Structures are given as C-alpha cells and as structure tokens.
Amino acid sequence: MPQPLRGRGARPTKTLAKRYERTSATSRGYDHVWRKVSAEHRRRYPFCAWCEQSGRLEFAKEVDHKFPIADGGSWYAPDNRWGLCLKHHGLKGQMERFARQTDQLDRLPLWCDDPTARPARFQ
Ligand SMILES: [Zn+2]
C-alpha cells in the first residue's frame, strides 16, 4: 500500500538536502529571471556559438557565462553570455578549469570570442 504524501519537513532530510545542494540550479542562483534571459538569448541566437565559429550549425542547449559567475563574472551583461551545444558546454567547463589551474581566468572571454587565441587543446 502506498504511503500517504508527507510534508517537506517529514522527509528523510539528510540525503535529500545533500542532493538538492549538488544539483539544483536554483540553489546556485539560476532563478526565474535568469531562465527568462536565457530563453530570450536562445530565441535571438539559436545556434551554438562555438560550432558557428567553426562553420557548423548546432542548436544551443545552454546559455553559458564566458567569465564564470563563480569567479566574479556578470550575470546579465549581454557580452558575458553565449549559447552552447551540450558538447561545447562541457568543453567550456574544461577550458574554465584549465584557466583556473594556469591562472589565466582573465583570458577566458578572449578565448570564447576568438578560437585562434585558445590553448591548442580547445581549438
Ligand atoms: Zn557546439
């Protein structure tokens, strides 16, 4: 017999709370305002910017911050966002980690806008 639904406070809090922290976009600040801005960006620029730089057309699935929010980047500056397909969103994440590890965060926006300026592995 199914258990009746219980209130939020009655849930086994430990695992749920942990999972929420790790996965919730809302908890990282991606609220309804961002979702609207992101949707509007993809309406205006439907294709992956990284793919376009190499002459391909792929729909953008994520709107990414060129200079990461976590490192002090602007949430809403239009020139700090670009739409990416899932493959390139993953590659951008790797490029961010590389930039942090090599102390080159300030070069990220340039690397996003100019593929020839990127480290070879990200071209
Ligand atoms: Zn792409």
Side-chain angles (χ1 to χ4, degrees):
M1 192 152 185
Q3 295 292 309
L5 290 174
R6 291 178 294 179
R8 186 173 283 250
R11 289 181 188 172
T13 51
K14 205 171 183 183
T15 50
L16 264 186
K18 240 185 177 167
R19 189 181 299 168
Y20 182 83
E21 271 174 37
R22 272 199 210 131
T23 61
S24 166
T26 305
S27 71
R28 298 193 308 266
Y30 289 85
D31 60 8
H32 70 283
V33 178
W34 171 252
R35 283 194 293 276
K36 275 180 76 170
V37 168
S38 169
E40 174 61 26
H41 185 95
R42 278 174 292 146
R43 270 193 296 276
R44 200 174 294 186
Y45 309 101
F47 299 110
C48 170
W50 194 316
C51 281
E52 280 190 308
Q53 289 167 345
S54 48
R56 293 191 307 272
L57 284 184
E58 184 77 42
F59 281 109
K61 294 282 194 275
E62 306 277 351
V63 176
D64 178 73
H65 290 99
K66 295 175 182 177
F67 195 90
I69 299 299
D71 299 290
S74 166
W75 269 102
Y76 295 111
D79 63 353
N80 196 38
R81 57 180 182 251
W82 60 341
L84 296 174
C85 68
L86 291 181
K87 180 185 112 179
H88 282 126
H89 192 241
L91 198 55
K92 167 60 166 33
Q94 292 177 32
M95 195 160 77
E96 285 176 14
R97 283 191 288 281
F98 175 81
R100 281 192 199 97
Q101 286 162 2
T102 57
D103 201 21
Q104 299 186 78
L105 269 173
D106 56 324
R107 295 183 63 81
L108 264 177
L110 173 68
W111 291 351
C112 293
D113 294 338
D114 179 3
T116 64
R118 283 174 205 151
R121 76 178 84 169
F122 300 112
Q123 286 181 0

